[in-house]
Amino acid sequence: LSEDACGTTFVELIKRSGTHLGVIVTGGKDTGLRPRIADLVPGSWAQRSDVLCVGDLILGLNGLDCQTMTQHDIVQTLDTADKVQLEVKYRLPPSGPSNKTRTKVIQVTLKKENGTFGFVVRGGSHELPARCRPFSIV
């Protein structure tokens, strides 16, 4: 993923002891693949957080560089830690409307279902102008 087409965010998830976070990971130092979120277990802490998406690259986990961790180490940390801090990289949508789209503003009232809205809002202002992106919903 090119740096211009990606955003990075930090996510902190706290779960009850003895429960699973619900992040299914693929990749790690031992696989030759960059660690990423392969799936989110429906109803899990991670899925209900509305901040992680399938395909997000996992750059850091509790202050550790995930590129130096095996897949087993990543999964073990996610399963055993009660507080998980993730640094994730995600693909940004193309910026700006194309000449084939029209802009329309509408007001929508949302109601949470099972404690979640069911989508992730990303983008916004950044101290580096090149990293400022319009809000997007995934």
Side-chain angles (χ1 to χ4, degrees), residues 33-53:
L33 300 171
R34 295 167 71 183
R36 73 176 58 242
I37 297 173
D39 204 1
L40 298 170
V41 176
S44 67
W45 294 104
Q47 188 265 331
R48 291 188 326 226
S49 74
D50 284 337
V51 292
L52 299 172
C53 291

Side-chain angles (χ1 to χ4, degrees), residues 2-138:
S2 87
E3 289 298 315
D4 289 341
C6 291
T8 304
T9 191
F10 292 89
V11 177
E12 182 173 276
L13 299 172
I14 299 172
K15 64 181 179 76
R16 277 192 218 113
S17 186
T19 63
H20 290 283
L21 196 61
V23 177
I24 299 178
V25 176
T26 187
K29 179 177 75 172
D30 54 328
T31 68
L33 300 171
R34 295 167 71 183
R36 73 176 58 242
I37 297 173
D39 204 1
L40 298 170
V41 176
S44 67
W45 294 104
Q47 188 265 331
R48 291 188 326 226
S49 74
D50 284 337
V51 292
L52 299 172
C53 291
V54 172
D56 289 351
L57 292 173
I58 305 172
L59 304 178
L61 173 57
N62 289 351
L64 301 171
D65 180 358
C66 283
Q67 291 199 56
T68 65
M69 299 173 74
T70 65
Q71 184 173 359
H72 175 78
D73 291 340
I74 295 168
V75 170
Q76 187 73 19
T77 303
L78 290 171
D79 283 348
T80 58
D82 291 335
K83 181 172 153 182
V84 174
Q85 295 172 325
L86 293 168
E87 179 182 6
V88 295
K89 180 186 256 187
Y90 57 91
R91 185 179 305 278
L92 291 169
S95 59
S98 73
N99 57 3
K100 295 181 182 179
T101 62
R102 292 186 304 189
T103 302
K104 183 176 181 181
V105 178
I106 60 172
Q107 181 175 340
V108 178
T109 302
L110 301 174
K111 180 180 172 188
K112 283 188 176 183
E113 193 170 298
N114 296 325
T116 179
F117 288 118
F119 59 84
V120 178
V121 177
R122 291 182 166 165
S125 182
H126 193 278
E127 62 266 11
L128 298 173
R131 291 248 172 121
C132 290
R133 292 289 191 267
F135 284 109
S136 60
I137 299 174
V138 283

